[in-house]
Amino acid sequence: MWLGSGCSLVLAVVFYLFASAHCEFPTLDHLRPSASDGAQGRAVAALLKRLLGSRSAEFAVSVNGSLSDDSRDVCELRSTTRNRIVATGSSGVAVATGIYNYLKYFCRCHVSWSGDQLDLPRTLPKLAGVLRIHTPHRFRYYQNVCTFSYSSVWWDWPRWEREIDWMALNGINLPLAFTGQEALWQEVYRALGLNQSEIDEFFSGPAFLAWNRMGNMFRFGGPLPQSWHVNQLYLQFRILERMRSFGMIPILPAFSGNIPKGILRLFPAANVTSLGPWSHFNCSFSCSYILDPRDPLFLQIGSLYLSQVVQQFGTNHIYNTDTFNEMTPPSSDPAYLSAVSRSVFASMTAVDPHAIWLMQGWLFFSDAVFWKPAQIQALLHGVPLGRMIVLDLFAETEPIFSYTKSFYGQPFIWCMLHNFGGNSGFFGTVESINSGPFEALRFPNSTLVGIGMTPEGIEQNPVMYELMSELAWRKEPVNLSKWVSLYAMRRYGSTDENLTAAWVRLFASVYNCTLPHYRNHNHSPLVRRPSFHMNSGLWYDPADLYKAWKLIIEAAPSLMSKETFRYDLVDVTRQVLQVLTTYFYQDIVDAFKNQKLPELLTAGGVLVNDLLPELSRLLNSDRNFLLGTWLERARSLALGEREAQLYDMNARNQLTLWGPSGEILDYASKEWGGLMEDYYAQRWGLFVHILVECLDSGRPFKQDAFNQAVFQVEKGFIYNGRRYPTKPQGDTYNIAYRIFLKYYPQALKRLK
């Protein structure tokens, strides 16, 4: 059991290290499914049963690992005389992907975070011969270390089961598996001699664990209850079992050097650096302690931890840890940087001689001033070539492989990051992702070994993730307008030309950002603290958005039974109102600067008293846009009211202040019912009210004074104690159509 004594834990590590010492060093070829072919086939059959119910009997599935002779997945499908589909693939993931390909392109079906469209034809369409799908990429990676905080932090097993099914259908074979690691760290810290209060001072709350793990912050939102460790450990065992059953290769956590302050009490001579503050936090919650990887204690702690990971979770021999994430190293000396990576890797191979280190390449972009070619090469070459895989994390916008000679020989994965903070809002870079992976494959001496999706938050813009996952199985770019037309047909199960025309327009505009270096943080004034210096720029022509909105509204009456359509109707209407909020904001600013009180009252009145309440009603009408669901999931993990209040605070704070005093304010903004009326609308109401008072009295507007006043509103939301609805309220079509009748004419006027 993981709750062993400290003494037995240390002895177990010593034995494990001794027993592992004489293994040979492998290459990436050893990163293979651990489940048998039969077990993988059974996992896919069970997935189809969950997805299709009784219709799953019309599919016969089998896995034959020898079907691929180059470690790249393949699936073959054919029809039988009895109208069944027989699918054979090189892995469970390959079979699931092959069947989903058939469901998409022959049955017009669709599976997404925002609902499924699974109206199968009465008789399955016949295949003329063998349909063979094959990927040119060894690995298809998924998730970001931040996703575990921004999206999956409150998930239960049914939600995880659904996500792993989605991964299999979309070809993912290299997922991050970070859940439950604090339970093992707690045992390691206890074995080393830390007391519980020192451990509690270190772990952050659940909603902020991603940054605690990366050494950015500690303690805020904590302490972690013991029930949290038990629950997360239980989840991790199930997550890993299910991932492996499909033939996936889960990536487990390793040690980066981030340590509790209490380690200094136990090892006062240790070579430890106290970092500076991170992202506007003060040293009450940041200024983490980092153990120098060259110190012998690093190997001791790192191997102690990783042996626990392997012992409890098993291993597929690939581990993630990130040094210097958004932190500048204490020295730029290449010899030092090589020594650091060499030592980190040594702490892995001491436990698992077959270890592969998967590292996010984000640090090279986020601190480009420090990471020059010599420093990048030094860090990468501290690990033998082929024993590290680098994630080119934001390659659709800021590719790093192209100026590092393909990461100086280390294998890499081309990734689409796409989303920051799990923000709401339409966004995409379809031309970039449609060409980038193929350019990386053709790059001179390319070391590309896979394609990945690395969003900070999910459950938004499902079209981008369907396209990206599909591109991993393509040999050349797709025709984007044709691809998205077919997407619209299968997402709604409809051939309505309005819908295909709407999506072609969206793909050519809001989903095709071509601005250099653009990051998809939702900059809309709607979800930002009001001021006179807000970002009102767009990367697309809103006329295309309005036209798509009109086409979708016109198609709506006959499609409201489809959850996928209802979601998109809410989402496109939400996007339009987000744009219109910017226009009203500009009217408010102009009226104030020109001292025109009637115009200020009109623009402010429409925004605060009509547009935002209508947007709130719209969001509250669909289950996918409810704050209440996020908060209820958080509270449901608690044992007792005290834990429930802690989780509730974590859940609310992350969406809003992101810190005790707004240190990373609105970074993880969401346009959700509940949040709209009690947070965003309250800020705008206060802003307009104070501007009116200033014009009335002749006083100037003082941003600092407003910030202090609005902070009370923001903090008040976190502690208001209100329970928000978890079930949708109101008729989505009636609300959306009313908004359309009111605001579509105004939207068109703004274009003139």
Side-chain angles (χ1 to χ4, degrees), residues 424-426 522 524-528 549 566-582 584 605-627 669-682 684 729-732 734-740 742-743:
S424 310
F426 285 176
N522 189 341
S524 168
L526 173 63
V527 292
R528 298 286 174 159
W549 185 33
R566 292 196 306 274
Y567 176 94
D568 288 350
L569 176 61
V570 171
D571 213 17
V572 71
T573 307
R574 175 208 54 72
Q575 186 72 20
V576 169
L577 294 186
Q578 177 181 292
V579 174
L580 290 178
T581 296
T582 300
F584 282 111
V606 172
L607 177 64
V608 172
N609 298 317
D610 191 79
L611 189 150
L612 295 180
E614 286 283 44
L615 177 53
S616 180
R617 282 187 281 272
L618 176 75
L619 297 169
N620 279 309
S621 75
D622 188 282
R623 72 176 184 90
N624 296 285
F625 296 88
L626 298 178
L627 170 67
S669 65
K670 307 287 188 297
E671 292 174 30
W672 286 346
L675 205 53
M676 192 55 60
E677 59 265 34
D678 281 359
Y679 184 72
Y680 301 122
Q682 295 302 314
W684 279 106
Q729 301 172 328
D731 184 288
T732 298
N734 287 341
I735 297 167
Y737 189 59
R738 182 175 68 237
I739 292 171
F740 177 79
K742 268 197 283 193
Y743 286 102

Side-chain angles (χ1 to χ4, degrees), residues 18-159:
F18 177 79
S20 304
H22 298 95
C23 297
E24 292 181 6
F25 292 103
T27 65
L28 293 180
D29 288 343
H30 70 293
L31 299 182
R32 292 183 172 276
S34 51
S36 68
D37 288 355
Q40 292 179 61
R42 289 189 292 275
V44 177
L47 183 163
L48 293 177
K49 182 75 172 173
R50 288 189 292 275
L51 193 67
L52 303 175
S54 61
R55 297 295 301 268
S56 65
E58 297 170 47
F59 293 85
V61 302
S62 64
V63 172
N64 178 359
S66 63
L67 197 61
S68 170
D69 58 6
D70 61 359
S71 299
R72 290 170 175 82
D73 271 330
V74 61
C75 182
E76 295 179 347
L77 301 97
R78 58 183 176 82
S79 295
T80 70
T81 53
R82 296 184 178 180
N83 289 318
R84 295 181 83 210
I85 296 294
V86 176
T88 304
S90 54
S91 70
V93 168
V95 175
T97 307
I99 290 174
Y100 188 39
N101 184 278
Y102 171 80
L103 290 172
K104 286 194 292 188
Y105 286 101
F106 291 84
C107 305
R108 283 188 184 152
C109 289
H110 175 74
V111 177
S112 79
W113 296 312
S114 47
D116 302 338
Q117 197 291 110
L118 292 169
D119 290 344
L120 284 170
R122 190 180 297 271
T123 302
L124 290 180
K126 274 192 173 295
L127 293 171
V130 175
L131 172 65
R132 190 173 198 269
I133 73 160
H134 184 273
T135 175
H137 300 290
R138 173 76 176 83
F139 301 112
R140 284 88 57 201
Y141 173 83
Y142 178 53
Q143 292 190 320
N144 182 306
V145 293
C146 298
T147 321
F148 291 87
S149 290
Y150 285 134
S151 294
S152 60
V153 54
W154 312 121
W155 285 2
D156 56 11
W157 170 243
R159 180 63 189 86

Side-chain angles (χ1 to χ4, degrees), residues 113 140-147 150 166 172 174 176 251 358-362 390-396 413-422 451-458 460 465 468:
W113 296 312
R140 284 88 57 201
Y141 173 83
Y142 178 53
Q143 292 190 320
N144 182 306
V145 293
C146 298
T147 321
Y150 285 134
W166 180 90
I172 305 302
L174 193 66
L176 210 52
I251 302 159
L358 180 127
M359 185 184 80
Q360 294 189 136
W362 179 254
V390 185
L391 299 178
D392 204 343
L393 207 72
F394 194 18
E396 79 271 32
I413 294 176
W414 193 102
C415 299
M416 175 188 79
L417 199 160
H418 179 257
N419 180 275
F420 290 86
I451 299 296
M453 298 185 288
T454 53
E456 287 191 351
I458 59 171
Q460 39 74 29
Y465 298 87
M468 189 67 223

Side-chain angles (χ1 to χ4, degrees), residues 301-351:
I301 295 176
S303 55
L304 195 61
Y305 176 65
L306 198 61
S307 67
Q308 269 288 79
V309 168
V310 171
Q311 184 181 338
Q312 300 303 328
F313 298 154
T315 187
N316 293 79
H317 307 295
I318 183 164
Y319 310 96
N320 167 252
T321 192
D322 292 298
T323 54
F324 312 123
N325 178 69
E326 298 185 0
M327 300 178 290
T328 301
S331 170
S332 62
D333 181 0
Y336 164 76
L337 295 169
S338 282
V340 165
S341 55
R342 189 160 48 248
S343 300
V344 171
F345 187 58
S347 74
M348 299 179 192
T349 54
V351 174

